[in-house]
Amino acid sequence: MIGYLKRKIDAYLAEWKANDERKPLIIKGARQVGKTKSIENFAQSNYDSIVEINFVSDPVYKQIVENGYSAEAVIKNISRINPEARFIKGKTLIFFDEIQEFPDIVTSLKFFALDGNYDVICSGSLLGVHYKEISNISVGYKTEIEMRSLDFEEFLWALGYDNSVKNDILEHMLSFTPFTSSVLKIYNDLFLDYCLVGGMPDVVKDFVTRKTFENTLEIQRQIVIGYEADIRKYAVGLDKSRITNVFRSVPFQLGKENKKFQLSKVRSGAKFKDYRGSLEWLEDAGIVNVSRALQTPNLPLKGNVIEDCCILYYADNGLLISQLDDEAQTDFRQNKNLDVYKGGLFESIIGEALVKSGYELRYYKKENSTLQEEFLVRYKDYLVPIEVKAGNNNSKSLATLIKNPDYKEICFGIKIVRGNIGFNSNICTFPHFCSFLIKEFLSSFQFH
């Protein structure tokens, strides 16, 4: 089995450690995305002493605040439970893991920040859900970051590729230089592997070790089972069944011609107001990505959404594919047919790449019209529509938005296709595997 998977959070943690003004850090994210392994890897390289406390496996540590939240009181109680724990000022990391089991520990972060003698990192799955209880605790005395499963670039690292692949793809995008047919096939094949495997570290490690997909499906399905177990454990009251039913309906909803999330497909007569909390729960837990409909394709994006109109995607596409019906699984895996589920898989894959780049998902569909765009993102003073194609057919909606004088912030668009790079009529065309670099492309792209 391969060892530690290099992650983008490694560089973030190094920068955090190098900052003399660093505050206690909270890493949020879904279960099994690699939070604990990344923190432990960072700790082993940077500290003489590591004090790791897991509130799930060692619930006895919930007693450590019984004498107050000061750094001194907490450290004294940790030492009482574990006399071997070493606290060396300036050289110790205290790592509180699975803090969703004991969110009260966050109250102590203010006091650790003021004390300044020890570095503190907290993490836990479903932290977004429980974080609502503690988000106002220690305001100004902590830093937060969200971690997700591996993106395509991290997947390439796991396979042994260096940054030259990313740099090569980005250079082609910025210069609109088509790839040669042989290079295009290599990148397409790598991306197809990523689509099947997804970014969950355990699945990626198994794939890289075996160099086959024989075990990936079972691992993916076990992770999904784990998510449902978390719902039963952490969701409150009647919401458990609602959240579970919404989660299970996502693959089916993406297979519809109209991918808008319809509660009537979850439960007959269901009202959005009754299920809003279920959608937010899954989003906060990092299990699904939610794309919200825009009232009009105009800036600003905030305040321009239709509250009860959205599309749901799984946050990891490998997990989504593991939940498809057997026929779609076979078609996808044996025939490399990415067009199963009426393009819903493509939308999910590109949406996942955008979220991992830092975007919030927004889409637009004009009432009583075929005009629709899968995603819209902001770039400077522009609104950039992103159209996702399973093949490489015409982009009628994209051309309409660019030419319409009512949408003055839309001057160019991006089309993601099964094909090569191009630029025509203010439409940037890129292969699917370029999606993870859209934000970097836009940050350097000069539109005139």
Side-chain angles (χ1 to χ4, degrees), residues 7 29-31 33 146-151 194-195 197-200 223-224 227 247 250-251 254 282-290 311-321 347-357 361:
R7 303 297 301 274
R31 69 146 63 210
V33 296
E146 184 153 9
M147 187 174 179
R148 300 180 181 274
S149 64
L150 283 80
D151 67 8
Y194 173 66
C195 292
V197 173
M200 302 305 281
I223 293 171
V224 172
Y227 282 164
F247 178 59
V250 172
L254 286 176
L282 290 165
E283 185 178 26
D284 287 343
I287 293 174
V288 303
N289 295 327
V290 180
I311 297 173
L312 266 60
Y313 306 101
Y314 275 15
D316 183 89
N317 203 68
L319 299 186
L320 171 67
I321 290 170
E347 286 185 31
S348 182
I349 291 162
I350 306 307
E352 179 186 345
L354 294 174
V355 168
K356 287 178 175 176
S357 301
L361 300 184

Side-chain angles (χ1 to χ4, degrees), residues 220 222 240 252 280 286 310 342-343 391 401 414 418:
Q220 288 163 338
Q222 287 302 316
K240 294 182 182 186
F252 165 75
E280 290 176 352
C310 61
K342 301 181 176 65
L401 287 173
I414 293 174
R418 181 186 292 169

Side-chain angles (χ1 to χ4, degrees), residues 199-229:
M200 302 305 281
D202 286 351
V203 187
V204 174
K205 280 188 174 185
D206 188 83
F207 172 73
V208 173
T209 302
R210 295 173 185 266
K211 296 182 172 55
T212 71
F213 299 98
E214 65 181 281
N215 208 36
T216 56
L217 181 60
E218 179 58 30
I219 301 172
Q220 288 163 338
R221 287 178 171 169
Q222 287 302 316
I223 293 171
V224 172
I225 290 169
Y227 282 164
E228 294 199 5

Side-chain angles (χ1 to χ4, degrees), residues 194-309:
Y194 173 66
C195 292
L196 284 164
V197 173
M200 302 305 281
D202 286 351
V203 187
V204 174
K205 280 188 174 185
D206 188 83
F207 172 73
V208 173
T209 302
R210 295 173 185 266
K211 296 182 172 55
T212 71
F213 299 98
E214 65 181 281
N215 208 36
T216 56
L217 181 60
E218 179 58 30
I219 301 172
Q220 288 163 338
R221 287 178 171 169
Q222 287 302 316
I223 293 171
V224 172
I225 290 169
Y227 282 164
E228 294 199 5
D230 283 342
I231 293 169
R232 289 192 297 273
K233 182 174 181 180
Y234 293 107
V236 180
L238 294 173
D239 285 343
K240 294 182 182 186
S241 60
R242 285 179 179 169
I243 295 168
T244 302
N245 289 339
V246 168
F247 178 59
R248 289 177 176 173
S249 77
V250 172
F252 165 75
Q253 301 258 4
L254 286 176
K256 300 191 279 86
E257 200 69 53
N258 171 17
K259 294 169 186 66
K260 176 184 151 185
F261 191 78
Q262 294 173 297
L263 285 171
S264 60
K265 305 294 183 184
V266 178
R267 182 175 174 272
S268 179
K271 292 183 171 61
F272 186 81
K273 65 181 178 63
D274 296 326
Y275 277 79
R276 181 195 301 272
S278 300
L279 271 62
E280 290 176 352
W281 195 99
L282 290 165
E283 185 178 26
D284 287 343
I287 293 174
V288 303
N289 295 327
V290 180
S291 182
R292 292 175 170 84
L294 293 176
Q295 298 176 47
T296 61
N298 297 104
L299 294 174
L301 294 178
K302 289 207 179 292
N304 186 19
V305 298
I306 304 171
E307 288 297 327
D308 61 351
C309 198

